Amino acid sequence: TLPGLLELAGESPATRRLYGLDAPESMTRQYAESCLKARRLVERGVRFVEVTMPVYPGDPNSWDAHGNLRKNHEANALAVDRPIAALLRDLKGRGLLDSTLVVFTGEFGRTPFAQGADGRDHNPFGFTMWLAGGGVKGGVTHGETDEWGYKVVKHKVEIHDLHATMLHILGVDHKKLTVR
């Protein structure tokens, strides 16, 4: 039932520590709750779960750091690193990672040069994302940007190819979804 799914008080102290549910940083706690709820949904057979970054009070664009880049990204990394590592470890420990595709990405990369005094603009020419579980071979990197991290120079992946790969992992033939 949904109320039982969302009630986290009964989680063991070890799970609470693993995810960071009792972390002093409120953003870590919020993201930890989302990751733990995602694991619970996967356990119950939900086929698609999206976990998004919580919004900072007064700063709805924390990852979209056109300003305050260092402050925002340090806080964001602190908020997501522990919970996402816990989610991966927990899924693996429960035998769910092999059948669960985890995609970690943003909307764009960031330019390797400053925007204004302390920000970076969107970079549609190259960015980093990662996949885990779902049969994806671990430890593999694909593609390369130039020495500045600005443009793809090797093994560029178009978004439709990424989508086709994700659909394949999920057992869907992307060609059957193509409309010309």
Side-chain angles (χ1 to χ4, degrees):
T1 66
L2 191 56
L5 171 79
L6 300 177
E7 179 52 50
L8 303 180
E11 287 294 340
S12 72
T15 298
R16 296 185 70 78
R17 272 191 310 279
L18 180 68
Y19 279 86
L21 288 174
D22 299 322
E25 305 84 20
S26 66
M27 296 296 287
T28 302
R29 289 193 308 272
Q30 289 176 36
Y31 198 72
E33 287 179 10
S34 295
C35 287
L36 185 51
K37 289 173 186 175
R39 190 264 292 161
R40 288 173 159 211
L41 287 165
V42 169
E43 281 181 311
R44 286 162 175 83
V46 174
R47 298 210 14 121
F48 182 86
V49 180
E50 181 178 1
V51 178
T52 57
M53 184 71 184
V55 175
Y56 289 112
D59 186 4
N61 300 311
S62 59
W63 274 118
D64 197 22
H66 295 280
N68 294 319
L69 180 105
R70 184 176 183 143
K71 173 187 162 279
N72 290 341
H73 285 190
E74 284 178 354
N76 291 334
L78 180 64
V80 303
D81 283 356
R82 183 173 175 185
I84 196 68
L87 175 62
L88 293 171
R89 188 175 298 124
D90 203 5
L91 288 171
K92 185 174 184 175
R94 294 168 188 272
L96 295 168
L97 189 58
D98 287 341
S99 61
T100 304
L101 175 64
V102 178
V103 180
F104 196 92
T105 189
E107 61 176 340
F108 290 104
R110 305 308 297 191
T111 54
F113 42 82
Q115 176 186 22
D118 61 353
R120 286 168 57 196
D121 202 358
H122 297 159
N123 183 8
F125 304 115
F127 69 98
T128 301
M129 61 173 298
W130 55 261
L131 307 175
V136 172
K137 185 176 178 182
V140 173
T141 59
H142 184 86
E144 246 177 69
T145 58
D146 59 28
E147 62 191 86
W148 300 283
Y150 185 53
K151 289 191 176 186
V152 175
V153 295
K154 187 175 180 184
H155 302 300
K156 181 177 183 178
V157 175
E158 298 291 346
I159 196 69
H160 61 269
D161 292 329
L162 173 63
H163 288 164
T165 299
M166 292 187 307
L167 288 168
H168 173 75
I169 290 167
L170 296 171
V172 177
D173 180 357
H174 74 280
K175 294 177 198 156
K176 291 184 177 180
L177 302 175
T178 302
V179 178
R180 300 217 181 268

